[in-house]
Amino acid sequence: MRDLSVAVFRPDDERLADAVELIDSLGATPVPDPMLSIEAADATPREDADYVVLTSKTGAELVADSGWNPGNATVCAIGPKTAAAVREAGYEVDVVPDEYTSSGLVVTLSDRIDGARIEVARSDHGSPVLLDGFEAAGAYVHETILYRLVRPEGSGVSAERAAGGELDAACFTSSLTVDHFLEAAGERGLREEAVDGLEDATVGVIGEPTRETAAERGIDVDVVASEATFDALACETVETAAPTYRD
């Protein structure tokens, strides 16, 4: 019996290494295929906001490198891993939502931000949920793009595996990883074959927005992680794939 193969699309840094280690610990074989690369923008969050929202470890590191001073702002992190990175960068974290999503943070803040100035500092592919939700709650919202997310050159080994029927599961961590997977497949002339190959695999995603993107692109989703963390996504995807796996 060949091993259960699971594609992971994390950026090629410690996040990919951690993902590979986790998949391996679950008794499956990781297929690392970085679909995101980070290009820093020369930008710093505004320092006159009442609330500042950081959505990723990368964002936390970049604002620290820029010398940003939060002043008296309430600092919000989208989830515990981002919060840990913000604290490691030397800042206090005042708010972490119970639900680690954009909508969860909107719900957490919505009853206290009418008339407040909110600075959202993140990548160029952030969901509109934060901006729209804060504005609907009466806040004045400004967005600073800290970095751009691009597809690394040479990515796409997972698309080749899927097209060849050699991929048993895939863990998509954002809508952008879905699109970049399909772009990589298209560059190889394998888009249709890769999508067909995913029909025979267990496809896991983080969150409803990623599920919707996958569905719009013709990819059926089997698992939506119970919480917006890679650990939950990987464990639940492997658990779902294992009972139906055949040699």
Side-chain angles (χ1 to χ4, degrees):
M1 177 184 290
R2 63 184 175 83
D3 293 334
L4 179 72
S5 58
V6 183
V8 292
F9 307 118
R10 305 292 275 162
D12 192 9
D13 53 27
E14 71 276 4
R15 286 167 289 189
L16 184 64
D18 290 345
V20 166
E21 183 178 356
L22 175 59
I23 296 295
D24 186 65
S25 74
L26 295 172
T29 297
V31 179
D33 193 9
M35 286 292 170
L36 299 175
S37 182
I38 295 163
E39 291 183 352
D42 185 15
T44 303
R46 294 175 60 168
E47 298 185 354
D48 60 350
D50 300 307
Y51 292 81
V52 175
V53 175
L54 296 169
T55 64
S56 68
K57 179 177 184 293
T58 299
E61 293 170 345
L62 288 173
V63 297
D65 290 343
S66 74
W68 171 70
N69 180 2
N72 294 321
T74 298
V75 177
C76 309
I78 202 76
K81 289 193 173 181
T82 301
V86 174
R87 294 185 181 104
E88 187 174 342
Y91 302 109
E92 297 289 333
V93 177
D94 303 297
V95 176
V96 180
D98 292 332
E99 178 187 332
Y100 312 144
T101 64
S102 295
S103 58
L105 185 56
V106 169
V107 169
T108 298
L109 296 179
S110 60
D111 63 350
R112 62 178 99 167
I113 57 175
D114 187 16
R117 295 166 298 177
I118 299 185
E119 172 76 349
V120 178
R122 58 182 184 175
S123 81
D124 62 334
H125 282 85
S127 163
V129 170
L130 278 179
L131 307 186
D132 294 347
F134 292 153
E135 288 178 352
Y140 301 98
V141 185
H142 180 267
E143 181 182 33
T144 294
I145 302 302
L146 297 174
Y147 57 99
R148 292 173 289 275
L149 293 171
V150 299
R151 181 167 62 86
E153 185 177 346
S155 60
V157 62
S158 60
E160 295 177 359
R161 294 280 293 268
E166 299 175 350
L167 192 67
D168 302 303
C171 296
F172 291 101
T173 52
S174 67
S175 292
L176 197 56
T177 58
V178 174
D179 286 338
H180 283 180
F181 172 89
L182 294 174
E183 286 177 11
E187 283 186 356
R188 291 161 170 75
L190 297 170
R191 179 172 174 136
E192 185 175 343
E193 293 86 349
V195 172
D196 289 344
L198 289 179
E199 290 184 5
D200 297 322
T202 298
V203 175
V205 301
I206 284 184
E208 188 62 21
T210 308
R211 187 203 65 76
E212 292 175 359
T213 298
E216 290 169 359
R217 310 296 190 264
I219 299 173
D220 292 330
V221 172
D222 303 289
V223 177
V224 178
S226 60
E227 63 178 41
T229 65
F230 182 80
D231 288 5
L233 172 62
C235 292
E236 292 165 17
T237 300
V238 170
E239 182 180 7
T240 300
T244 59
Y245 179 64
R246 298 290 184 270
D247 58 348

